[in-house]
Amino acid sequence: MSALICGSMAYDTIMVFHDRFKNHILPDKVHILNVSFLVPVMRREFGGCAGNIAYNLKLLGEDPLIMATVGHDFEPYMQWLCQNGLSREFIRILDNNYTGQAYITTDEDDNQITAFHPGAMNSSHLNSVPVGREDIGIGIVSPDGKEGMLLHAKQFSELDIPFIFDPGQGIPMFTGEELIQFLDQATWVTINDYESELLQQKTGLTLKQIAERVEALIVTLGAQGSKVYTHGQCIDIPTAKPKALLDPTGCGDAYRAGVLYGLMNELDWDITGRIASLMGAIKIEHSGTQNHAFDLETFKERYRANFGSSF
């Protein structure tokens, strides 16, 4: 069984400002803001939710399928996918667009100023969930172009393919009615604690009411672990211990790959949540979203060391 990963593909250009923004931004002058930050450290990473989730799921031994729209500048990313054995079958190149681009400047207090150009991502609705592909047994709708997210959720539902709704930072794009429609189509929902507050506010539903509409609602809580609301109960998932706290970017995507792995292998939520937690811990030990690597046996050893059991 394969997972169809619907979402963004992007280049992340990450710059480090060796000072604090607050020392250069005058609060009483923000209406005429004109600042320049010297950033001697810069790196370019492969990112985007679909790319990150698929990369992590591949590390766990699965063969995910990415469905995304990208631009004419995608060739370096394409080579990276080939190098890591990831399928390009459902990646559509739009010659008159750039691939999504995130420009992130981080200061010494870990504050960030980000500019994001969606580029080809805004045309994600040009892709469709394939019909008649018996190998696709599960899907995920992660942050992408608005029309694409609405379309792909509808198509998964019509094809009776169970899928995760992972709205992420895309929640503000949708009305309360549209978000409720997603909930009624989806099989599972994954959000972080901030997104849970926003989702409740926009839909007018409580967490309990949201959980009642799906088979499971997963809420990640950062260093406090995560919670799985399913069939009227709440399962507390502990954190796995990272070896270092280097870069939290992409931890949520790594966690979601762990959730997909558990669902694809019919594991219970206690195990699935712990696998997802360990995926996030491994990711935070590395800079960038796709620079960590492991084999499955090594992963299982770390699982046993953290949780005292096997899967």
Side-chain angles (χ1 to χ4, degrees), residues 130-142:
V131 178
R133 285 290 297 259
E134 295 183 0
D135 58 321
I136 298 175
I138 192 171
I140 183 169
V141 175
S142 59

Side-chain angles (χ1 to χ4, degrees), residues 257-277:
V259 171
L260 279 167
Y261 177 85
L263 292 169
M264 294 170 74
N265 290 278
E266 299 182 347
L267 303 175
D268 64 37
W269 281 111
D270 286 293
I271 295 174
T272 296
R274 284 165 170 77
I275 290 172
S277 177

Side-chain angles (χ1 to χ4, degrees), residues 197-248:
E197 295 294 334
L198 192 56
L199 185 59
Q200 290 175 81
Q201 180 185 18
K202 296 208 72 167
T203 62
L205 301 173
T206 65
L207 280 182
K208 181 176 181 294
Q209 291 171 324
I210 293 171
E212 288 171 348
R213 291 175 177 263
V214 291
E215 289 189 13
L217 166 65
I218 304 102
V219 182
T220 59
L221 305 168
Q224 283 70 52
S226 53
K227 294 181 180 293
V228 180
Y229 299 88
T230 181
H231 301 298
Q233 62 176 323
C234 176
I235 302 170
D236 289 310
I237 304 297
T239 57
K241 186 176 181 180
K243 297 176 181 176
L245 299 174
L246 199 57
D247 181 5

Side-chain angles (χ1 to χ4, degrees), residues 41-305:
V41 177
M42 184 180 82
R43 66 181 192 272
R44 194 187 199 201
E45 305 283 1
F46 301 118
C49 293
N52 295 340
I53 294 169
Y55 177 83
N56 282 281
L57 192 53
K58 184 69 176 181
L59 289 179
L60 288 168
E62 300 296 340
D63 287 309
L65 300 169
I66 299 169
M67 190 167 79
T69 44
V70 300
H72 58 76
D73 56 343
F74 193 66
E75 181 58 29
Y77 206 152
M78 191 77 79
Q79 293 177 6
W80 173 252
L81 296 179
C82 290
Q83 181 181 330
N84 287 281
L86 286 160
S87 172
R88 301 161 290 164
E89 182 178 358
F90 299 112
I91 296 176
R92 182 168 180 170
I93 298 175
L94 305 179
D95 291 333
N96 295 321
N97 292 266
Y98 286 101
T99 301
Q101 313 269 336
Y103 296 89
I104 306 164
T105 304
T106 304
D107 74 357
E108 291 183 343
D109 289 331
D110 287 332
N111 295 309
Q112 291 185 330
I113 296 175
T114 301
F116 185 74
H117 172 66
M121 188 185 83
N122 275 344
S123 298
S124 60
H125 56 280
L126 298 179
N127 277 334
S128 293
V129 176
V131 178
R133 285 290 297 259
E134 295 183 0
D135 58 321
I136 298 175
I138 192 171
I140 183 169
V141 175
S142 59
D144 209 349
K146 178 179 179 179
E147 288 183 67
M149 291 179 72
L150 289 166
L151 175 64
H152 300 150
K154 179 174 181 288
Q155 291 173 335
F156 275 132
S157 179
E158 290 175 345
L159 292 169
D160 290 325
I161 298 174
F163 74 95
I164 297 172
F165 177 46
D166 169 30
Q169 295 178 340
I171 290 178
M173 293 192 298
F174 301 103
T175 65
E177 291 76 15
E178 288 170 331
L179 289 167
I180 289 173
Q181 177 180 300
F182 277 121
L183 298 177
D184 289 340
Q185 292 169 331
T187 316
W188 312 276
V189 175
T190 58
I191 47 179
N192 65 28
D193 50 350
Y194 175 79
E195 293 156 3
S196 76
E197 295 294 334
L198 192 56
L199 185 59
Q200 290 175 81
Q201 180 185 18
K202 296 208 72 167
T203 62
L205 301 173
T206 65
L207 280 182
K208 181 176 181 294
Q209 291 171 324
I210 293 171
E212 288 171 348
R213 291 175 177 263
V214 291
E215 289 189 13
L217 166 65
I218 304 102
V219 182
T220 59
L221 305 168
Q224 283 70 52
S226 53
K227 294 181 180 293
V228 180
Y229 299 88
T230 181
H231 301 298
Q233 62 176 323
C234 176
I235 302 170
D236 289 310
I237 304 297
T239 57
K241 186 176 181 180
K243 297 176 181 176
L245 299 174
L246 199 57
D247 181 5
T249 309
C251 287
D253 294 330
Y255 185 101
R256 281 145 183 76
V259 171
L260 279 167
Y261 177 85
L263 292 169
M264 294 170 74
N265 290 278
E266 299 182 347
L267 303 175
D268 64 37
W269 281 111
D270 286 293
I271 295 174
T272 296
R274 284 165 170 77
I275 290 172
S277 177
L278 180 54
M279 289 296 293
I282 292 173
K283 161 60 268 297
I284 206 171
E285 298 166 356
H286 301 79
S287 295
T289 59
Q290 298 180 30
N291 292 324
H292 54 292
F294 56 79
D295 58 45
L296 190 56
E297 186 53 43
T298 301
F299 183 85
K300 289 183 176 181
E301 289 174 4
R302 283 197 65 173
Y303 184 97
R304 285 191 291 269

